[in-house]
Amino acid sequence: MIKTVQRFFEARPESVGQARDFVSTTLTGWGWAERHDDIRLCVSELATNALVHGTVADHGFLVRLNAEDGVVRLEVHDSRRRRPEPRQTAATDLSGRGLVLVAALADGWGVQDRSPLGKIVWSCFKIA
């Protein structure tokens, strides 16, 4: 059975926490406690990236969750085409580790263009 849910968030700092809560509530409702913390951390990182780097003025971002055949796909849609890249950071850097964390926690991740503008940053999580 395919399950899909999505929600739009405004371009405000508090939207990152709201996105985490949305993901938590959805996964709990689906009865998928496994990998909950990994997915929640990844949505936090991807939503923060969308808010800071991916939205044009007055545009928010969309979070979509899709569950099918034991895999949860998390997508964060934003309004800029600029593709994110994992960065090498120094131990003293206060930011820049988001995509490194996503790559470490997810079973796969990537970026695709979105029509008519923007991009989708996605990550997948296998659920046993």
Side-chain angles (χ1 to χ4, degrees):
M1 176 182 207
I2 300 172
K3 300 175 184 178
T4 302
V5 64
Q6 65 185 27
R7 183 171 162 200
F8 181 80
F9 297 91
E10 293 182 20
R12 300 184 317 203
E14 56 270 21
S15 292
V16 174
Q18 293 168 355
R20 277 193 307 269
D21 293 344
F22 166 70
V23 166
S24 289
T25 301
T26 300
L27 293 174
T28 299
W30 289 349
W32 289 37
E34 187 178 340
R35 312 268 333 252
H36 179 272
D37 291 339
D38 293 345
I39 298 168
R40 192 172 143 88
L41 180 56
C42 287
V43 77
S44 185
E45 296 299 335
L46 297 179
T48 298
N49 282 353
L51 183 65
V52 174
H53 305 292
T55 57
V56 295
D58 297 326
H59 285 77
F61 59 93
L62 179 99
V63 174
R64 177 179 293 153
L65 285 170
N66 178 283
E68 181 179 9
D69 297 329
V71 176
V72 171
R73 179 179 167 109
L74 164 67
E75 298 178 354
V76 177
H77 300 227
D78 65 39
S79 53
R80 288 204 171 133
R81 291 267 176 163
R82 188 175 130 220
R83 291 178 172 254
E85 298 280 334
R87 293 183 3 199
Q88 297 250 338
T89 58
T92 56
D93 288 343
L94 299 176
S95 64
R97 294 177 183 84
L99 290 177
V100 173
L101 287 170
V102 171
L105 295 173
D107 293 305
W109 77 277
V111 183
Q112 64 191 72
D113 290 338
R114 190 184 82 177
S115 291
L117 65 125
K119 67 182 168 302
I120 301 167
V121 183
W122 59 268
S123 54
C124 290
F125 304 84
K126 296 176 185 171
I127 308 293

PDB file of all heavy atoms in Angstrom, residues 85-110:
ATOM      1  N   GLU A  85      25.608  20.666  -2.184  1.00  0.00           N
ATOM      2  CA  GLU A  85      26.736  19.731  -2.220  1.00  0.00           C
ATOM      3  C   GLU A  85      27.224  19.498  -0.792  1.00  0.00           C
ATOM      4  O   GLU A  85      27.342  20.454  -0.027  1.00  0.00           O
ATOM      5  CB  GLU A  85      27.900  20.337  -3.031  1.00  0.00           C
ATOM      6  CG  GLU A  85      27.585  20.623  -4.480  1.00  0.00           C
ATOM      7  CD  GLU A  85      27.669  19.397  -5.342  1.00  0.00           C
ATOM      8  OE1 GLU A  85      28.412  18.458  -4.973  1.00  0.00           O
ATOM      9  OE2 GLU A  85      26.997  19.368  -6.383  1.00  0.00           O
ATOM     10  N   PRO A  86      27.520  18.253  -0.435  1.00  0.00           N
ATOM     11  CA  PRO A  86      28.119  18.022   0.885  1.00  0.00           C
ATOM     12  C   PRO A  86      29.453  18.761   0.975  1.00  0.00           C
ATOM     13  O   PRO A  86      30.202  18.825  -0.003  1.00  0.00           O
ATOM     14  CB  PRO A  86      28.337  16.510   0.930  1.00  0.00           C
ATOM     15  CG  PRO A  86      27.447  15.956  -0.122  1.00  0.00           C
ATOM     16  CD  PRO A  86      27.316  17.015  -1.172  1.00  0.00           C
ATOM     17  N   ARG A  87      29.729  19.343   2.138  1.00  0.00           N
ATOM     18  CA  ARG A  87      30.958  20.122   2.317  1.00  0.00           C
ATOM     19  C   ARG A  87      31.901  19.422   3.274  1.00  0.00           C
ATOM     20  O   ARG A  87      31.465  18.702   4.172  1.00  0.00           O
ATOM     21  CB  ARG A  87      30.621  21.495   2.889  1.00  0.00           C
ATOM     22  CG  ARG A  87      29.841  22.363   1.959  1.00  0.00           C
ATOM     23  CD  ARG A  87      29.565  23.743   2.495  1.00  0.00           C
ATOM     24  NE  ARG A  87      30.146  24.068   3.784  1.00  0.00           N
ATOM     25  CZ  ARG A  87      29.732  25.042   4.557  1.00  0.00           C
ATOM     26  NH1 ARG A  87      28.716  25.776   4.193  1.00  0.00           N
ATOM     27  NH2 ARG A  87      30.303  25.294   5.703  1.00  0.00           N
ATOM     28  N   GLN A  88      33.171  19.687   3.085  1.00  0.00           N
ATOM     29  CA  GLN A  88      34.168  19.283   4.068  1.00  0.00           C
ATOM     30  C   GLN A  88      34.222  20.419   5.081  1.00  0.00           C
ATOM     31  O   GLN A  88      34.371  21.580   4.701  1.00  0.00           O
ATOM     32  CB  GLN A  88      35.520  19.110   3.391  1.00  0.00           C
ATOM     33  CG  GLN A  88      35.541  18.017   2.358  1.00  0.00           C
ATOM     34  CD  GLN A  88      36.367  16.840   2.833  1.00  0.00           C
ATOM     35  OE1 GLN A  88      37.205  16.976   3.686  1.00  0.00           O
ATOM     36  NE2 GLN A  88      36.105  15.687   2.261  1.00  0.00           N
ATOM     37  N   THR A  89      34.082  20.083   6.342  1.00  0.00           N
ATOM     38  CA  THR A  89      34.091  21.116   7.368  1.00  0.00           C
ATOM     39  C   THR A  89      35.231  20.889   8.345  1.00  0.00           C
ATOM     40  O   THR A  89      35.688  19.759   8.536  1.00  0.00           O
ATOM     41  CB  THR A  89      32.759  21.132   8.149  1.00  0.00           C
ATOM     42  OG1 THR A  89      32.553  19.850   8.718  1.00  0.00           O
ATOM     43  CG2 THR A  89      31.599  21.496   7.250  1.00  0.00           C
ATOM     44  N   ALA A  90      35.650  21.964   8.949  1.00  0.00           N
ATOM     45  CA  ALA A  90      36.658  21.879  10.005  1.00  0.00           C
ATOM     46  C   ALA A  90      35.953  21.618  11.336  1.00  0.00           C
ATOM     47  O   ALA A  90      34.755  21.894  11.481  1.00  0.00           O
ATOM     48  CB  ALA A  90      37.448  23.185  10.086  1.00  0.00           C
ATOM     49  N   ALA A  91      36.682  21.110  12.290  1.00  0.00           N
ATOM     50  CA  ALA A  91      36.106  20.810  13.603  1.00  0.00           C
ATOM     51  C   ALA A  91      35.524  22.061  14.270  1.00  0.00           C
ATOM     52  O   ALA A  91      34.604  21.962  15.079  1.00  0.00           O
ATOM     53  CB  ALA A  91      37.166  20.184  14.502  1.00  0.00           C
ATOM     54  N   THR A  92      36.018  23.222  13.910  1.00  0.00           N
ATOM     55  CA  THR A  92      35.548  24.463  14.525  1.00  0.00           C
ATOM     56  C   THR A  92      34.361  25.096  13.796  1.00  0.00           C
ATOM     57  O   THR A  92      33.793  26.067  14.293  1.00  0.00           O
ATOM     58  CB  THR A  92      36.703  25.485  14.590  1.00  0.00           C
ATOM     59  OG1 THR A  92      37.216  25.673  13.270  1.00  0.00           O
ATOM     60  CG2 THR A  92      37.803  24.990  15.519  1.00  0.00           C
ATOM     61  N   ASP A  93      33.981  24.566  12.623  1.00  0.00           N
ATOM     62  CA  ASP A  93      32.847  25.114  11.878  1.00  0.00           C
ATOM     63  C   ASP A  93      31.552  24.879  12.644  1.00  0.00           C
ATOM     64  O   ASP A  93      31.326  23.793  13.186  1.00  0.00           O
ATOM     65  CB  ASP A  93      32.740  24.480  10.496  1.00  0.00           C
ATOM     66  CG  ASP A  93      33.837  24.935   9.551  1.00  0.00           C
ATOM     67  OD1 ASP A  93      34.481  25.964   9.841  1.00  0.00           O
ATOM     68  OD2 ASP A  93      34.044  24.261   8.525  1.00  0.00           O
ATOM     69  N   LEU A  94      30.693  25.889  12.658  1.00  0.00           N
ATOM     70  CA  LEU A  94      29.424  25.793  13.368  1.00  0.00           C
ATOM     71  C   LEU A  94      28.289  25.296  12.483  1.00  0.00           C
ATOM     72  O   LEU A  94      27.196  25.012  12.969  1.00  0.00           O
ATOM     73  CB  LEU A  94      29.058  27.149  13.973  1.00  0.00           C
ATOM     74  CG  LEU A  94      30.063  27.698  14.990  1.00  0.00           C
ATOM     75  CD1 LEU A  94      29.639  29.077  15.450  1.00  0.00           C
ATOM     76  CD2 LEU A  94      30.211  26.750  16.163  1.00  0.00           C
ATOM     77  N   SER A  95      28.501  25.213  11.187  1.00  0.00           N
ATOM     78  CA  SER A  95      27.465  24.747  10.264  1.00  0.00           C
ATOM     79  C   SER A  95      28.135  24.053   9.084  1.00  0.00           C
ATOM     80  O   SER A  95      29.358  24.002   8.993  1.00  0.00           O
ATOM     81  CB  SER A  95      26.612  25.926   9.787  1.00  0.00           C
ATOM     82  OG  SER A  95      27.401  26.821   9.040  1.00  0.00           O
ATOM     83  N   GLY A  96      27.308  23.538   8.187  1.00  0.00           N
ATOM     84  CA  GLY A  96      27.826  22.944   6.968  1.00  0.00           C
ATOM     85  C   GLY A  96      27.873  21.428   6.952  1.00  0.00           C
ATOM     86  O   GLY A  96      28.391  20.832   6.014  1.00  0.00           O
ATOM     87  N   ARG A  97      27.310  20.788   7.975  1.00  0.00           N
ATOM     88  CA  ARG A  97      27.363  19.327   8.055  1.00  0.00           C
ATOM     89  C   ARG A  97      26.051  18.643   7.672  1.00  0.00           C
ATOM     90  O   ARG A  97      25.944  17.424   7.738  1.00  0.00           O
ATOM     91  CB  ARG A  97      27.736  18.911   9.473  1.00  0.00           C
ATOM     92  CG  ARG A  97      29.123  19.307   9.857  1.00  0.00           C
ATOM     93  CD  ARG A  97      29.422  18.937  11.313  1.00  0.00           C
ATOM     94  NE  ARG A  97      30.750  19.383  11.694  1.00  0.00           N
ATOM     95  CZ  ARG A  97      31.042  20.604  12.107  1.00  0.00           C
ATOM     96  NH1 ARG A  97      30.100  21.509  12.191  1.00  0.00           N
ATOM     97  NH2 ARG A  97      32.273  20.927  12.430  1.00  0.00           N
ATOM     98  N   GLY A  98      25.035  19.402   7.285  1.00  0.00           N
ATOM     99  CA  GLY A  98      23.705  18.846   7.046  1.00  0.00           C
ATOM    100  C   GLY A  98      23.667  17.727   6.042  1.00  0.00           C
ATOM    101  O   GLY A  98      23.134  16.648   6.314  1.00  0.00           O
ATOM    102  N   LEU A  99      24.229  17.932   4.864  1.00  0.00           N
ATOM    103  CA  LEU A  99      24.178  16.893   3.843  1.00  0.00           C
ATOM    104  C   LEU A  99      25.079  15.714   4.173  1.00  0.00           C
ATOM    105  O   LEU A  99      24.796  14.583   3.779  1.00  0.00           O
ATOM    106  CB  LEU A  99      24.529  17.466   2.470  1.00  0.00           C
ATOM    107  CG  LEU A  99      23.473  18.397   1.885  1.00  0.00           C
ATOM    108  CD1 LEU A  99      23.942  18.958   0.556  1.00  0.00           C
ATOM    109  CD2 LEU A  99      22.133  17.686   1.724  1.00  0.00           C
ATOM    110  N   VAL A 100      26.145  15.960   4.911  1.00  0.00           N
ATOM    111  CA  VAL A 100      26.998  14.859   5.368  1.00  0.00           C
ATOM    112  C   VAL A 100      26.188  13.970   6.312  1.00  0.00           C
ATOM    113  O   VAL A 100      26.251  12.735   6.226  1.00  0.00           O
ATOM    114  CB  VAL A 100      28.278  15.396   6.047  1.00  0.00           C
ATOM    115  CG1 VAL A 100      29.085  14.278   6.667  1.00  0.00           C
ATOM    116  CG2 VAL A 100      29.124  16.170   5.033  1.00  0.00           C
ATOM    117  N   LEU A 101      25.400  14.573   7.196  1.00  0.00           N
ATOM    118  CA  LEU A 101      24.536  13.803   8.088  1.00  0.00           C
ATOM    119  C   LEU A 101      23.472  13.036   7.303  1.00  0.00           C
ATOM    120  O   LEU A 101      23.216  11.857   7.579  1.00  0.00           O
ATOM    121  CB  LEU A 101      23.859  14.718   9.102  1.00  0.00           C
ATOM    122  CG  LEU A 101      24.731  15.260  10.215  1.00  0.00           C
ATOM    123  CD1 LEU A 101      23.989  16.335  10.999  1.00  0.00           C
ATOM    124  CD2 LEU A 101      25.172  14.148  11.134  1.00  0.00           C
ATOM    125  N   VAL A 102      22.849  13.688   6.339  1.00  0.00           N
ATOM    126  CA  VAL A 102      21.836  13.024   5.520  1.00  0.00           C
ATOM    127  C   VAL A 102      22.450  11.821   4.806  1.00  0.00           C
ATOM    128  O   VAL A 102      21.880  10.725   4.810  1.00  0.00           O
ATOM    129  CB  VAL A 102      21.191  14.013   4.517  1.00  0.00           C
ATOM    130  CG1 VAL A 102      20.307  13.276   3.516  1.00  0.00           C
ATOM    131  CG2 VAL A 102      20.385  15.072   5.264  1.00  0.00           C
ATOM    132  N   ALA A 103      23.619  12.001   4.210  1.00  0.00           N
ATOM    133  CA  ALA A 103      24.284  10.897   3.506  1.00  0.00           C
ATOM    134  C   ALA A 103      24.622   9.747   4.450  1.00  0.00           C
ATOM    135  O   ALA A 103      24.548   8.573   4.072  1.00  0.00           O
ATOM    136  CB  ALA A 103      25.550  11.404   2.816  1.00  0.00           C
ATOM    137  N   ALA A 104      24.972  10.069   5.695  1.00  0.00           N
ATOM    138  CA  ALA A 104      25.332   9.030   6.663  1.00  0.00           C
ATOM    139  C   ALA A 104      24.098   8.281   7.187  1.00  0.00           C
ATOM    140  O   ALA A 104      24.169   7.076   7.450  1.00  0.00           O
ATOM    141  CB  ALA A 104      26.096   9.642   7.827  1.00  0.00           C
ATOM    142  N   LEU A 105      22.982   8.967   7.341  1.00  0.00           N
ATOM    143  CA  LEU A 105      21.796   8.360   7.951  1.00  0.00           C
ATOM    144  C   LEU A 105      20.851   7.697   6.958  1.00  0.00           C
ATOM    145  O   LEU A 105      20.195   6.712   7.295  1.00  0.00           O
ATOM    146  CB  LEU A 105      21.025   9.420   8.738  1.00  0.00           C
ATOM    147  CG  LEU A 105      21.743  10.008   9.945  1.00  0.00           C
ATOM    148  CD1 LEU A 105      20.936  11.164  10.527  1.00  0.00           C
ATOM    149  CD2 LEU A 105      21.986   8.939  10.996  1.00  0.00           C
ATOM    150  N   ALA A 106      20.763   8.229   5.751  1.00  0.00           N
ATOM    151  CA  ALA A 106      19.814   7.721   4.763  1.00  0.00           C
ATOM    152  C   ALA A 106      20.420   6.552   3.982  1.00  0.00           C
ATOM    153  O   ALA A 106      21.634   6.406   3.900  1.00  0.00           O
ATOM    154  CB  ALA A 106      19.410   8.841   3.802  1.00  0.00           C
ATOM    155  N   ASP A 107      19.538   5.739   3.418  1.00  0.00           N
ATOM    156  CA  ASP A 107      19.988   4.647   2.550  1.00  0.00           C
ATOM    157  C   ASP A 107      20.255   5.135   1.134  1.00  0.00           C
ATOM    158  O   ASP A 107      20.778   4.398   0.315  1.00  0.00           O
ATOM    159  CB  ASP A 107      18.941   3.528   2.545  1.00  0.00           C
ATOM    160  CG  ASP A 107      18.844   2.867   3.907  1.00  0.00           C
ATOM    161  OD1 ASP A 107      19.880   2.408   4.418  1.00  0.00           O
ATOM    162  OD2 ASP A 107      17.729   2.830   4.471  1.00  0.00           O
ATOM    163  N   GLY A 108      19.902   6.363   0.849  1.00  0.00           N
ATOM    164  CA  GLY A 108      20.167   7.006  -0.427  1.00  0.00           C
ATOM    165  C   GLY A 108      19.628   8.415  -0.382  1.00  0.00           C
ATOM    166  O   GLY A 108      18.720   8.712   0.397  1.00  0.00           O
ATOM    167  N   TRP A 109      20.199   9.291  -1.184  1.00  0.00           N
ATOM    168  CA  TRP A 109      19.703  10.661  -1.264  1.00  0.00           C
ATOM    169  C   TRP A 109      20.132  11.247  -2.601  1.00  0.00           C
ATOM    170  O   TRP A 109      21.027  10.737  -3.259  1.00  0.00           O
ATOM    171  CB  TRP A 109      20.179  11.521  -0.091  1.00  0.00           C
ATOM    172  CG  TRP A 109      21.605  11.989  -0.185  1.00  0.00           C
ATOM    173  CD1 TRP A 109      22.721  11.285   0.161  1.00  0.00           C
ATOM    174  CD2 TRP A 109      22.055  13.245  -0.676  1.00  0.00           C
ATOM    175  NE1 TRP A 109      23.839  12.033  -0.082  1.00  0.00           N
ATOM    176  CE2 TRP A 109      23.463  13.240  -0.600  1.00  0.00           C
ATOM    177  CE3 TRP A 109      21.415  14.385  -1.181  1.00  0.00           C
ATOM    178  CZ2 TRP A 109      24.235  14.333  -1.009  1.00  0.00           C
ATOM    179  CZ3 TRP A 109      22.184  15.451  -1.585  1.00  0.00           C
ATOM    180  CH2 TRP A 109      23.579  15.426  -1.491  1.00  0.00           C
ATOM    181  N   GLY A 110      19.473  12.321  -2.988  1.00  0.00           N
ATOM    182  CA  GLY A 110      19.826  12.969  -4.236  1.00  0.00           C
ATOM    183  C   GLY A 110      19.048  14.260  -4.424  1.00  0.00           C
ATOM    184  O   GLY A 110      18.291  14.682  -3.546  1.00  0.00           O
TER     185      GLY A 110
END
